[in-house]
Amino acid sequence: MRDTMTAGGKSDAAANGTVFGVIAAISFCHLLNDMMQSLLPAIYPGLKTDLGLSFGQIGLVTLAYQLTASILQPLVGLYADKRPTPLALPGGTLFSLAGLSVLSIAHNYPLVLVGASLLGVGSSVFHPESSRVARMAAGARHGLAQSLFQVGGNAGQALGPLAAAIVVVRWGQSSLAFFALLALLSGTVLWNVATWYRHHGLERLHAGRKAAAAIPLPRGHATRGILILLALIFSKYVYLASLTSYYTFYLIHRFGVSVQNAQLHLFAFLAAVAVGTVLGGPLGDRFGRKYIIWFSILGALPFTLLLPHVGLVWTGPLTIVIGLILASAFPAIVVFAQELVPGKVGMISGLFFGFSFGMGGLGAAVLGWLADRAGIDAVYQLCAFLPAIGLLTALLPDAERRR
């Protein structure tokens, strides 16, 4: 694989083409990374029983993971922008390996917290650096590269519960040691990516930064744009959290469907999210990222407003449309933000990936509190208005038109 990527890098660097071998490699590693991360909740029932944990203590495990996976990401990205470290990519997988290994043998609460934190550190190193590599390998197709990179993570998140059902539920907590071996596979692939990064990627990234910096935006415009994009990420990920965390409960409570039927509805929604992620980036490359952001946030509003008021027959199709539209936003948002702040690809990637992680976790917690007190129906009645935040897109600077 190294020879393929190196040869591709030599020829494409000069032509500013897209190096699909590198993008495929980091997308595959994104799948492995997010699948490993999603195994943590799979052991919660066993931990609660074996260690006598309360729901509050389980929540602290999630908090330990979320803090290390979210807060560290922009810091890792900022450091990488100042001092590029290609070997951080394979090195970061060692934290994931250590985290799963510790969790597989954790028979007391402090060890569980250590394992969850190590798993979060692995994620915080992987996401900003891999997003930088996607930018390096993109050529002129930045949106497509981010979409392909991101869909690997979506696939990993979908495969994680399946892997947990087949392996972890059957063989228990100790089976996490088997999944730790996936970190070694990921590290091997990322070693080859790091070689390409060192010899070709940095040169391509610097060339792109010079071209973007040649027509700079006023500093205030860039800051305003970043804040608006973070607000859009908030609306997107809190709404997605309402479906990924509570959609099955909503279907069972309101329509009396079976657990199996509810899971099939959830699978259809997650599949739509994956498709939307793939489409969002290349559509942004073709039609302009601001237009895609308009469509992908505000365009979901009519469907989210309808969802709480329709029967079961229309609930499934509506959630598929909502997932398809909302998911197309993230690649366009990340690339738009990177273009607002040239030369800070790692910091911006870490900020947006970390913020999306944090908003998803915080949103799920707040919506769970709301569901306990006002009922599950209230969750979707309130969240229906979140896409209206997409109106803020009108205030984004016209960065693409200037360049």
Side-chain angles (χ1 to χ4, degrees):
M1 186 178 103
R2 179 186 304 175
D3 293 338
T4 301
M5 289 193 295
T6 302
K10 287 179 179 177
S11 59
D12 287 338
N16 198 30
T18 305
V19 188
F20 284 102
V22 173
I23 296 171
I26 59 170
S27 181
F28 173 67
C29 292
H30 199 182
L31 182 153
L32 295 178
N33 178 83
D34 283 24
M35 185 173 75
M36 289 187 288
Q37 308 296 319
S38 65
L39 292 172
L40 178 60
I43 65 171
Y44 283 174
L47 289 176
K48 190 175 188 304
T49 301
D50 296 342
L51 302 182
L53 303 182
S54 65
F55 284 113
Q57 288 174 307
I58 292 292
L60 287 177
V61 175
T62 301
L63 179 63
Y65 166 74
Q66 290 283 7
L67 285 178
T68 51
S70 301
I71 294 176
L72 287 179
Q73 286 201 41
L75 300 178
V76 170
L78 181 62
Y79 179 83
D81 287 331
K82 293 181 176 179
R83 298 186 62 182
T85 311
L87 290 181
L89 276 168
T93 61
L94 298 178
F95 288 100
S96 297
L97 186 152
L100 287 175
S101 299
V102 169
L103 287 171
S104 71
I105 59 169
H107 298 302
N108 59 68
Y109 187 58
L111 265 185
V112 172
L113 292 175
V114 170
S117 299
L118 287 171
L119 204 59
V121 172
S123 184
S124 70
V125 173
F126 175 82
H127 283 101
E129 277 291 80
S130 294
S131 187
R132 272 167 58 85
V133 171
R135 182 82 180 185
M136 294 171 184
R141 305 169 77 177
H142 300 134
L144 174 63
Q146 283 295 330
S147 284
L148 294 177
F149 168 63
Q150 185 62 23
V151 80
N154 289 343
Q157 290 167 12
L159 288 174
L162 180 62
I166 295 173
V167 180
V168 179
V169 172
R170 184 172 182 179
W171 282 287
Q173 181 181 344
S174 60
S175 64
L176 291 181
F178 166 76
F179 289 102
L181 297 177
L182 294 178
L184 295 178
L185 173 60
S186 180
T188 302
V189 175
L190 290 174
W191 182 274
N192 287 287
V193 172
T195 302
W196 178 89
Y197 179 160
R198 183 190 302 113
H199 295 298
H200 305 286
L202 286 172
E203 180 184 349
R204 292 164 63 95
L205 190 64
H206 291 328
R209 180 174 63 189
K210 289 177 182 177
I215 312 175
L217 282 169
R219 185 179 182 86
H221 288 204
T223 302
R224 184 189 71 198
I226 294 296
L227 292 175
I228 291 171
L229 292 173
L230 288 173
L232 299 179
I233 288 289
F234 165 81
S235 70
K236 165 184 159 61
Y237 275 92
V238 173
Y239 192 90
L240 288 179
S242 75
L243 286 169
T244 54
S245 298
Y246 303 109
Y247 184 37
T248 54
F249 296 104
Y250 174 74
L251 292 171
I252 294 168
H253 165 76
R254 184 165 183 191
F255 303 113
V257 303
S258 66
V259 174
Q260 184 180 22
N261 194 328
Q263 290 290 347
L264 289 174
H265 277 75
L266 179 59
F267 172 77
F269 165 73
L270 293 174
V273 168
V275 173
T277 301
V278 172
L279 295 176
L283 287 176
D285 289 338
R286 182 174 179 82
F287 299 107
R289 275 169 268 284
K290 189 171 180 179
Y291 293 115
I292 297 303
I293 294 169
W294 262 115
F295 170 74
S296 61
I297 304 294
L298 193 60
L301 183 60
F303 304 103
T304 61
L305 291 173
L306 276 174
L307 184 63
H309 308 289
V310 299
L312 179 61
V313 172
W314 285 104
T315 294
L318 279 176
T319 52
I320 288 173
V321 172
I322 290 168
L324 191 67
I325 294 175
L326 277 180
S328 64
F330 192 71
I333 288 174
V334 170
V335 175
F336 196 99
Q338 290 172 345
E339 292 172 349
L340 287 177
V341 191
K344 301 292 183 182
V345 173
M347 183 195 73
I348 292 297
S349 300
L351 174 64
F352 278 83
F353 277 100
F355 192 72
S356 65
F357 271 49
M359 287 301 99
L362 182 61
V366 173
L367 294 177
W369 174 87
L370 176 64
D372 285 337
R373 282 154 182 78
I376 193 70
D377 291 349
V379 169
Y380 295 97
Q381 291 167 1
L382 177 64
C383 288
F385 295 93
L386 282 173
I389 294 175
L391 290 168
L392 292 174
T393 305
L395 303 177
L396 285 174
D398 289 321
E400 292 169 306
R401 184 176 299 176
R402 288 173 61 90
R403 288 171 183 155

